[in-house]
């Protein structure tokens, strides 16, 4: 089985395309997508280390330099959707009408809904499921991809810490901001593991969505217990309660 048996290119957030979009920007966006999709297909068929960037460039009809103009490293060809998550964090996590946990759950729910909608739209959903599992195996078995994934996660934590600090009057390097951001970003790992666990255990994609969401929400409730105190401003937490006999 190869990625040609499923519509891999449609696995994108529905609001990715800006409107209106200049023709030049549209061409750049479509080429970027083509490079990432072609690279991912080749990596999954032959293994990450067996594919050279020059081969990806040739398959897309561009130069190797052009590939690196769009993607700074070979590993980044696989992680283009990580930028969408980063953009969502900057907008949704900063929403003062949502708690940090609710904001994170909103992002995760959107990403999961996009995935299950994509799965249900395939002519052979079973093959699409198998491809997702193969993609997970590619990530887990390639040291350089695991390292790049950790680096991407660190950058996302830094962005989340900065946003949480702004919301609570702290600084991004305060321990409260750091641990809160780390805990929230860990929910992506929970969702990935839950997806892998339930992918072939559920009968419908609605059941898959509900089962994965339930696991994520269980973890989020535990995190929420600790984050309830995060909204307390530092100066408020320093107020001392008068002791017995105090005036």
């Amino acid at each position: 089985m190869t990625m040609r048996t499923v519509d891999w290119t449609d696995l994108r957030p529905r609001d990715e395309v800006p409107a209106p979009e200049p023709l030049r920007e549209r061409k750049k966006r479509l080429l970027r997508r083509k490079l990432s999709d072609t690279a991912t297909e080749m990596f999954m068929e032959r293994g990450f280390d067996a594919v050279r960037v020059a081969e990806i460039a040739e398959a897309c009809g561009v130069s190797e330099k052009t590939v690196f103009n769009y993607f700074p490293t070979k590993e980044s060809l696989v992680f283009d959707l990580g930028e969408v998550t980063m953009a969502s964090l900057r907008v949704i996590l900063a929403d003062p009408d949502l708690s940090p946990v609710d904001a994170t759950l909103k992002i995760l729910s959107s990403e999961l809904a996009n995935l299950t909608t994509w799965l249900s739209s395939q002519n052979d959903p079973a093959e699409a499921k198998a491809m997702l599992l193969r993609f997970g195996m590619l990530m887990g078995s390639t040291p350089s991809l695991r390292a790049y994934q950790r680096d991407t996660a660190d950058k996302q934590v830094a962005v989340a810490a900065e946003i949480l600090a702004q919301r609570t009057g702290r600084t991004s390097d305060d321990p409260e901001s750091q641990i809160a951001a780390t805990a929230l970003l860990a929910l992506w790992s929970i969702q990935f593991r839950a997806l892998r666990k339930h992918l072939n255990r559920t009968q419908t994609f609605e059941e898959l969505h509900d089962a994965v969401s339930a696991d994520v929400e269980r973890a989020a409730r535990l995190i929420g217990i600790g984050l309830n105190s995060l909204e307390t401003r530092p100066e408020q937490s320093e107020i001392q309660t008068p002791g017995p006999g105090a005036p």
Side-chain angles (χ1 to χ4, degrees), residues 73-125:
T73 65
K74 181 180 175 183
E75 290 78 12
S76 63
L77 281 156
V78 184
F79 287 94
D80 62 319
L81 292 182
E83 297 179 8
V84 178
T85 297
M86 189 81 79
S88 297
L89 286 170
R90 294 185 185 279
V91 175
I92 299 176
L93 189 57
D95 187 345
D97 294 329
L98 294 172
S99 71
V101 169
D102 287 342
T104 302
L105 287 176
K106 182 176 180 179
I107 300 171
L108 284 163
S109 178
S110 176
E111 294 181 0
L112 178 60
N114 185 65
L115 177 63
T116 54
T117 298
W118 171 77
L119 281 169
S120 65
S121 71
Q122 300 306 304
N123 292 329
D124 192 335

Side-chain angles (χ1 to χ4, degrees), residues 18-187:
E21 182 182 30
L23 179 60
R24 184 169 180 270
E25 293 304 313
R26 179 176 182 273
K27 288 182 177 179
K28 290 171 62 177
R29 175 176 58 80
L30 292 179
L31 177 56
R32 179 182 175 83
R33 174 183 293 188
K34 181 179 180 180
L35 291 169
S36 178
D37 292 338
T38 301
T40 303
E41 177 177 356
M42 296 174 73
F43 295 154
M44 289 178 66
E45 287 182 347
R46 295 163 48 192
F48 182 80
D49 294 328
V51 178
R52 294 179 293 110
V53 174
E55 295 178 270
I56 299 168
E58 182 178 0
C60 294
V62 298
S63 68
E64 186 173 354
K65 180 181 178 182
T66 297
V67 177
F68 284 117
N69 284 341
Y70 284 84
F71 297 93
T73 65
K74 181 180 175 183
E75 290 78 12
S76 63
L77 281 156
V78 184
F79 287 94
D80 62 319
L81 292 182
E83 297 179 8
V84 178
T85 297
M86 189 81 79
S88 297
L89 286 170
R90 294 185 185 279
V91 175
I92 299 176
L93 189 57
D95 187 345
D97 294 329
L98 294 172
S99 71
V101 169
D102 287 342
T104 302
L105 287 176
K106 182 176 180 179
I107 300 171
L108 284 163
S109 178
S110 176
E111 294 181 0
L112 178 60
N114 185 65
L115 177 63
T116 54
T117 298
W118 171 77
L119 281 169
S120 65
S121 71
Q122 300 306 304
N123 292 329
D124 192 335
E127 288 194 356
K129 286 183 178 181
M131 190 188 69
L132 284 178
L133 291 174
R134 286 177 57 205
F135 180 77
M137 291 175 61
L138 172 71
M139 300 296 299
S141 63
T142 309
S144 61
L145 289 177
R146 293 202 307 270
Y148 192 89
Q149 188 175 34
R150 288 193 296 269
D151 183 60
T152 299
D154 288 344
K155 292 177 181 177
Q156 292 170 341
V157 167
V159 168
E162 180 181 347
I163 294 169
L164 293 172
Q166 292 172 353
R167 289 182 57 148
T168 61
R170 293 179 169 86
T171 63
S172 60
D173 60 354
D174 279 346
E176 294 89 350
S177 302
Q178 289 289 316
I179 193 61
T182 300
L184 290 174
L185 265 298
L187 290 175

Side-chain angles (χ1 to χ4, degrees), residues 9-22:
T9 63
D10 195 43
L11 186 53
R12 304 278 173 168
R14 297 296 179 263
D15 59 352
E16 178 185 355
V17 181
E21 182 182 30

Side-chain angles (χ1 to χ4, degrees), residues 173-223:
D173 60 354
D174 279 346
E176 294 89 350
S177 302
Q178 289 289 316
I179 193 61
T182 300
L184 290 174
L185 265 298
L187 290 175
W188 267 263
S189 294
I190 297 295
Q191 178 150 294
F192 175 77
R193 292 189 179 97
L195 179 64
R196 185 171 56 189
K197 178 175 72 174
H198 295 294
L199 194 59
N200 289 319
R201 295 183 181 179
T202 49
Q203 298 297 316
T204 68
F205 295 115
E206 290 78 10
E207 291 177 356
L208 174 63
H209 183 281
D210 292 345
V212 173
S213 296
D215 280 6
V216 174
E217 288 168 5
R218 285 172 59 188
R221 283 196 295 272
L222 187 61
I223 294 174

